[in-house]
């Protein structure tokens, strides 16, 4: 195993897609279960949203130490400071997040992988020979896949995060879209998932080559009138080409130079969670790179002055459920309750959680909906699935009175794994 630490990084253009393979299910982190979190949590923090800022691209000479461009090796831990270049002559970097940052929200993309595998992000640099028990993103050879991950940082004047690659080699791209800090004032409120837009049915039609669609996300009737940032699930469906979507605040600044939110191949439905600042007029923009694609937007929460909860990140993600371990796959059109509070009583006043939901052993096309609970399943989607594929998507969801949240399966039997990355609390 090799351990390396990035020291110079750069800001680059949006990710370009490679060809995708859709025939093999990626490897998963080994089955594990843990419900006691103890001291594995950061200080509580408010949120600051930001335009996507690229802090790592292992394909680019400016984004790795000494210009040594290479993918992450199998079983490699890669620790990177959260900085970007302000100048290359001479090389000069600036911090992307402040020194008191407790966690960052980062869109992580794996591209050009050579084997079935996964990436795991955490604050801890990791020890040679150790293997994380939780995964952040899963991939098969040749795929380009993305997932929004909330990850605790190692604090200091140069906060860092660590990426672990389980197998083969793969390039990794990291775009920071926000951070948590004890001095930040915007708080989170979880909402019942609500569909805001669906280009298949709302009369707007697919997004074409290089086109932009504006969506109103700050609405009094949704409780988001004062939202400074929103939490969305954005799904690309019916795409005609390999492409990507970029979501950003509407306004004079326009589309960011770098950063992609949803990467997808032709013909496949792909979702990704998105956290995006809200434009001054209460709107956001969605850009499609090439081809045409239908876009579905579901609202699941927001940050703003009227928010109720601060966030505590888990320094090392914790596996909270795994149907492979219980031997009871989630049955067709059934609902599973997932624990959202620790068994040791160390998590009072939990209002919502941030969790990575991974689906494998899929028997038929379908989708999962993650929601706070109750008898009515929202008409929204969180993870879209197809046989032969292992897929993951981050989910931010409120918590029911019994300390759980719900996952409903709209399709055939499958296995579900949940890895908790943090929780929201009023205390």
């Amino acid at each position: 195993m090799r351990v390396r630490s990035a020291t110079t990084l750069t800001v680059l253009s949006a990710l370009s897609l490679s060809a995708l393979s859709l025939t093999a299910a990626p490897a998963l982190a080994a089955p594990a279960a843990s419900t006691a979190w103890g001291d594995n949590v950061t200080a509580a923090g408010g949120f600051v949203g930001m335009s996507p800022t690229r802090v790592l691209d292992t394909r680019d000479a400016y984004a790795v130490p000494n210009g040594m461009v290479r993918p992450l090796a199998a079983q490699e831990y890669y620790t990177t400071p959260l900085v970007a270049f302000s100048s290359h002559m001479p090389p000069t970097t600036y911090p992307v997040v402040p020194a008191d940052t407790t966690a960052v929200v980062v869109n992580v993309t794996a591209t050009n992988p050579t084997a079935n595998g996964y990436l795991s992000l955490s604050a801890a640099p990791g020890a040679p020979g150790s293997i994380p028990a939780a995964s952040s993103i899963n991939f098969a050879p040749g795929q380009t896949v993305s997932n929004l991950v909330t990850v605790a940082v190692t604090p200091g004047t140069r906060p860092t995060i660590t990426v672990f690659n389980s197998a083969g080699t793969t390039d990794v791209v990291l775009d920071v879209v926000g951070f948590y800090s004890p001095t930040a004032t915007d708080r989170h409120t979880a909402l019942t998932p609500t569909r805001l837009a669906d280009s298949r049915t709302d009369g707007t039609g697919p997004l074409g080559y290089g086109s932009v669609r504006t969506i109103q996300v700050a609405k009094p009737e949704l409780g988001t009138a004062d939202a400074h940032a929103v939490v969305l699930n954005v799904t690309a469906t019916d795409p005609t080409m390999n492409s990507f979507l970029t979501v950003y605040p509407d306004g004079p600044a326009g589309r960011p130079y770098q950063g992609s939110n949803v990467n997808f191949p032709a013909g496949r439905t792909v979702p990704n969670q998105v956290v995006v600042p809200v434009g001054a007029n209460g709107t956001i923009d969605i850009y499609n790179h090439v081809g045409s694609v239908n876009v579905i937007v579901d609202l699941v929460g927001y940050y703003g002055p009227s928010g109720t909860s601060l966030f505590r990140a888990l320094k090392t993600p914790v596996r909270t459920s795994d149907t492979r371990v219980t031997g009871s796959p989630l049955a067709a059109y059934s609902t599973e309750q997932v624990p959202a509070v620790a068994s040791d009583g160390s998590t009072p006043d939990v209002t919502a959680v941030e969790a990575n939901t991974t689906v494998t052993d899929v028997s038929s096309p379908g989708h999962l909906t993650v929601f706070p609970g109750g008898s009515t399943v929202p008409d929204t989607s969180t993870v879209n699935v197809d046989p032969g594929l292992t897929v993951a998507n981050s989910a931010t969801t409120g918590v029911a009175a019994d300390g759980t949240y719900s996952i409903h399966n709209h399709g055939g039997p499958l296995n579900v794994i949940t890895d908790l990355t943090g929780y929201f609390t009023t205390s």
Side-chain angles (χ1 to χ4, degrees):
M1 177 186 298
R2 288 173 286 177
V3 179
R4 60 174 172 155
S5 178
T7 56
T8 56
L9 305 168
T10 190
V11 175
L12 301 170
S13 61
L15 180 71
S16 298
L17 287 171
S18 61
L20 288 100
S21 169
L22 302 177
T23 58
L28 284 166
S34 176
T35 55
W37 305 342
D39 296 327
N40 185 34
V41 295
T42 66
F47 182 73
V48 177
M50 53 190 284
S51 294
T53 302
R54 186 151 294 175
V55 296
L56 177 66
D57 186 337
T58 60
R59 305 167 303 173
D60 189 276
Y62 291 125
V64 292
N66 304 317
M68 296 294 292
V69 180
R70 69 169 178 84
L72 270 65
Q75 299 286 293
E76 180 178 6
Y77 284 94
Y78 184 106
T79 298
T80 178
L82 300 170
V83 299
F85 273 120
S86 58
S87 171
H88 292 99
M89 298 293 288
T92 306
T93 62
Y94 67 93
V96 168
V97 296
D100 67 348
T101 295
T102 56
V104 290
V105 182
V106 57
N107 203 64
V108 55
T109 301
T111 190
N112 307 318
T114 60
N116 295 335
Y118 64 89
L119 301 178
S120 182
L121 276 65
S122 68
S130 63
I131 298 176
S135 58
S136 301
I137 188 171
N138 300 81
F139 49 79
Q143 280 189 312
T144 293
V145 291
S146 298
N147 195 16
L148 190 74
V149 177
T150 301
V151 56
V153 305
T154 301
T157 55
R158 287 164 61 88
T160 63
I161 59 175
T162 296
V163 184
F164 171 83
N165 176 39
S166 71
T169 64
T170 185
D171 284 304
V172 177
V173 182
L174 301 179
D175 296 318
V176 176
V177 299
F179 63 90
Y180 294 95
S181 161
T183 57
T185 58
D186 280 349
R187 294 186 174 219
H188 174 266
T189 293
L191 300 170
T192 300
T194 301
R195 182 143 295 175
L196 296 182
D198 186 340
S199 64
R200 301 170 302 174
T201 60
D202 60 17
T204 58
L207 274 73
Y209 173 90
S211 64
V212 175
R213 185 148 300 159
T214 300
I215 297 175
Q216 188 79 31
V217 294
K219 296 181 177 181
E221 61 269 30
L222 295 174
T224 57
D226 68 344
H228 291 165
V230 289
V231 186
L232 309 170
N233 200 67
V234 178
T235 302
T237 191
D238 309 317
T240 61
M241 297 180 66
N242 294 351
S243 186
F244 63 83
L245 301 177
T246 300
V247 186
Y248 55 98
D250 181 61
R255 181 167 57 93
Y257 175 65
Q258 83 287 338
S260 58
N261 297 99
V262 187
N263 293 272
F264 50 87
R268 186 180 162 209
T269 297
V270 177
N272 201 17
Q273 183 163 280
V274 173
V275 177
V276 58
V278 177
N281 56 0
T283 58
I284 62 166
D285 289 337
I286 300 179
Y287 162 85
N288 174 45
H289 186 53
V290 296
S292 68
V293 62
N294 278 306
V295 177
I296 304 162
V297 180
D298 296 327
L299 174 70
V300 298
Y302 75 95
Y303 299 90
S306 66
T308 61
S309 303
L310 299 172
F311 182 74
R312 293 182 182 269
L314 272 64
K315 299 172 185 177
T316 300
V318 170
R319 181 146 294 173
T320 51
S321 70
D322 188 339
T323 59
R324 300 172 303 167
V325 173
T326 63
S328 300
L330 186 56
Y333 300 96
S334 65
T335 301
E336 173 190 17
Q337 268 66 51
V338 179
V341 296
S343 60
D344 60 1
S346 62
T347 54
D349 305 318
V350 173
T351 59
V353 295
E354 180 69 37
N356 202 56
T357 304
T358 303
V359 187
T360 193
D361 304 322
V362 180
S363 61
S364 64
H367 68 274
L368 302 184
T369 298
V370 178
F371 63 107
S375 58
T376 303
V377 181
D379 185 22
T380 57
S381 61
T382 307
V383 187
N384 295 78
V385 299
D386 288 293
L389 292 177
T390 294
V391 295
N393 195 17
S394 181
T396 302
T397 179
V399 173
D402 64 355
T404 67
Y405 65 93
S406 299
I407 301 177
H408 183 79
N409 177 21
H410 301 264
L414 43 73
N415 278 310
V416 181
I417 303 101
T418 61
D419 295 319
L420 192 76
T421 58
Y423 61 93
F424 296 89
T425 177
T426 56
S427 61

